[in-house]
Amino acid sequence: MCSSSVIYGHKVDLIAMLDTTVVQEFQEIVGTNHALQEEALTATYTADWTGRFQGKSPMVLRPADTSQVSELVKLAARAGLSIVPQGGNTGLVGGSVPLNEEIVISTLRMDHCEPVDVLAQQVTVGAGTTLANAQAHVSPFNLDIGVDLAARDSCTIGGMIATNAGGINVVRYGPMRDQLLGIEAVLSDGSIISHLEGLEKDNTGYNFPGLLAGSEGTLAIITKARLRLHPRLNERCSAMIAFKTVDDAVVATSQLRRTLPALQAVEVIFGEAMSLVSDHIGASVPVGLGSQAWLIVEVAAANDPTDQLANAIDDLGPLAADVAVGLDTATRNGLWEYREKITEAIATQGTPHKLDVTLPASRLSEFVNEVPSLISTVDGQATAVMFGHLGDGNVHVNILGADGNEPDEGVDDAVLNYVAELGGSISAEHGIGTAKREFLHLNRTEAELAAFRAIKRGLDPRGILNPNVLLPPEDS
Ligand code: FAD
Ligand code: MLT
Ligand code: ZN
């Protein structure tokens, strides 16, 4: 067994700190090839996607199936070890990495997709299935997964459930929680709950899928999910619309949501993000150079929705400063590149603080306009790069410090307090993780936090599942 005060932050031989019998037992469960111990092998599992959160782990375990997860959890509980469940490690709030030398249970081998149930329009997939593989699995049946996001090649269905991921199609299908019809998971004592029948109506007590969606690995390790599927809408048209002001973009978003039945996505890129991403991809701003905001709007339907989009854009009148339309796949992908490459573009500039927030529609433009000066009062050298899912009121505020360094810690406090003051949420879709748990009280009352703790104690009495995540420490 390991002792946290000795290991964390020191160059010690972590492997030696685990009881050799325990190591052997772990190896017997998953096989020696899937019980990783050397730092060279565990490194990609211990640092997060942004590089901001770096931990260490005595062991990364890669189980093949639910019963192996169950055995691992029983053994960890007996040995007094804490666990960080991990999927694709694309999370952006530091929740997927072992910050206090926990063991990591990676779901990546649990990527089996069961046959598509075309009659019910559902599928059961392993938690470690990447989103792209799940999409590819169902698309031959003209069906689609309701949630889509730029990390699709790496993020897993289990991780998307655990974070209640949002992405670009929430305006049409809702977030991950809305796609769930059943779940299989391993609880903190190793017991397995499995409810994968996929009945549309099933009021037999508490809803585990709903509870585990957004639980960030703190209540159970998800091993399989039964997902609702949607008809695949192959006829698509996208447009990039430039706006002189943020307010114009907000008003136009509301109008497009009212007038476009085929609306699939309404994404936004603000000024700083547009100049960064266009430099990054080596292309000029397609329309409306010097604008304050650009929307990427996509419509999708069984029959060509181009006229629908063209009419809706016409109806925007002088609100829209300029428009570029993508009819064929290559042009549409070209427009989407400006949106989907922003996260990567920011990462080339340094280590940002990623604040992912939702605002009420009536306060959105005020927020976006005020944030840069709010940040500069705390850290004069910090810059804010903003973009997001405007159809959901979701703005991603990425704050970069001087020379690629992290900004002053106080910027998080200033922005998140401002969000709460305006009636918004401090986490729209990325979760609370480690990054935001000290701010959870801004959105949740004492009574809610007490209820959260009661749920956590009920399902994980020893506190071994992702202990650094979501809930603020008891003494804070
Ligand atoms: P991980 O990062 O491995 O884990 C995330 C959390 O879930 C951790 O707390 C972990 O402990 C827990 N977890 C993982 N698997 C399980 C499991 N099987 N059981 C229990 N707990 C588990 N997010 C959005 O919501 N919308 C976006 O549009 C979006 N775009 C992104 C674009 C890029 C380029 C990147 C890098 C990230 C983006 N993200 C987005 C964030 C990220 O992809 C999502 O949070 C995703 O859901 C994480 O999935 P993952 O498999 O990588 O999970
Ligand atoms: C996105 O919408 O692209 C993401 O959530 C990723 C990010 O916030 O960087
Ligand atoms: Zn997002």
Side-chain angles (χ1 to χ4, degrees), residues 194-328:
S194 187
H195 205 73
L196 295 166
E197 294 76 12
L199 300 173
E200 284 285 352
K201 300 182 92 175
D202 182 12
N203 275 351
T204 51
Y206 300 128
N207 182 260
F208 279 122
L211 181 63
L212 296 190
S215 65
E216 302 186 51
T218 60
L219 299 181
I221 303 180
I222 299 156
T223 52
K224 283 184 187 172
R226 181 82 175 172
L227 301 178
R228 170 176 290 122
L229 301 173
H230 303 273
R232 195 172 161 69
L233 302 168
N234 293 317
E235 297 294 323
R236 287 176 187 236
C237 177
S238 307
M240 180 185 279
I241 314 174
F243 295 89
K244 289 202 182 77
T245 68
V246 174
D247 201 44
D248 287 351
V250 171
V251 172
T253 299
S254 168
Q255 190 170 321
L256 293 167
R257 289 188 64 193
R258 289 194 305 275
T259 57
L260 279 172
L263 190 62
Q264 187 83 357
V266 193
E267 299 285 299
V268 71
I269 306 171
F270 296 111
E272 193 74 34
M274 182 55 104
S275 62
L276 199 58
V277 76
S278 43
D279 281 353
H280 178 64
I281 63 176
S284 53
V285 178
V287 283
L289 188 65
S291 298
Q292 283 195 4
W294 290 259
L295 291 183
I296 308 265
V297 181
E298 180 154 293
V299 282
N303 299 316
D304 188 0
T306 307
D307 287 349
Q308 198 186 113
L309 181 58
N311 293 337
I313 293 172
D314 269 356
D315 289 347
L316 293 178
L319 263 186
D322 209 346
V323 184
V325 178
L327 297 176
D328 58 277

Side-chain angles (χ1 to χ4, degrees), residues 92 150 267 339 343 354 387-389 396 398 429-430:
L92 298 172
E267 299 285 299
R339 170 64 183 84
T343 304
K354 298 185 84 71
F387 62 102
H389 314 280
H396 294 312
N398 286 255
E429 57 172 12
H430 295 165

Side-chain angles (χ1 to χ4, degrees), residues 82-98:
S82 294
I83 301 166
V84 172
Q86 190 183 93
N89 199 12
T90 65
L92 298 172
V93 287
S96 53
V97 285

Side-chain angles (χ1 to χ4, degrees), residues 48-53 91-94 343 346-347 349-357 367 371 375 378-379 382-387 395-402 404-416 426 430 434-436 438-439:
D48 81 326
W49 193 91
T50 64
R52 182 178 169 199
F53 298 96
L92 298 172
V93 287
T343 304
I346 293 168
Q349 302 299 300
T351 307
H353 281 202
K354 298 185 84 71
L355 305 178
D356 150 50
V357 303
F367 175 80
V371 156
I375 288 171
V378 181
D379 180 340
T383 48
V385 183
M386 289 186 277
F387 62 102
V395 182
H396 294 312
V397 183
N398 286 255
I399 310 170
L400 285 159
N405 292 317
E406 287 187 40
D408 188 300
E409 286 290 332
V411 295
D412 297 20
D413 193 76
V415 173
L416 297 179
I426 63 159
H430 295 165
T434 295
K436 290 187 184 167
E438 66 175 289
F439 299 105

Side-chain angles (χ1 to χ4, degrees), residues 37 44 53 66 79 93 103 108 127 144 152 178 193 200 212 248 264 280-281 292 348 352 360 437 446 449 470:
Q37 294 177 291
T44 56
F53 298 96
T66 307
V93 287
I103 58 166
L108 288 178
D144 211 348
R152 58 184 75 79
D178 293 353
I193 52 169
E200 284 285 352
L212 296 190
D248 287 351
Q264 187 83 357
H280 178 64
I281 63 176
Q292 283 195 4
T348 64
R437 63 181 185 152
E446 273 305 317
L449 290 175
L470 209 163

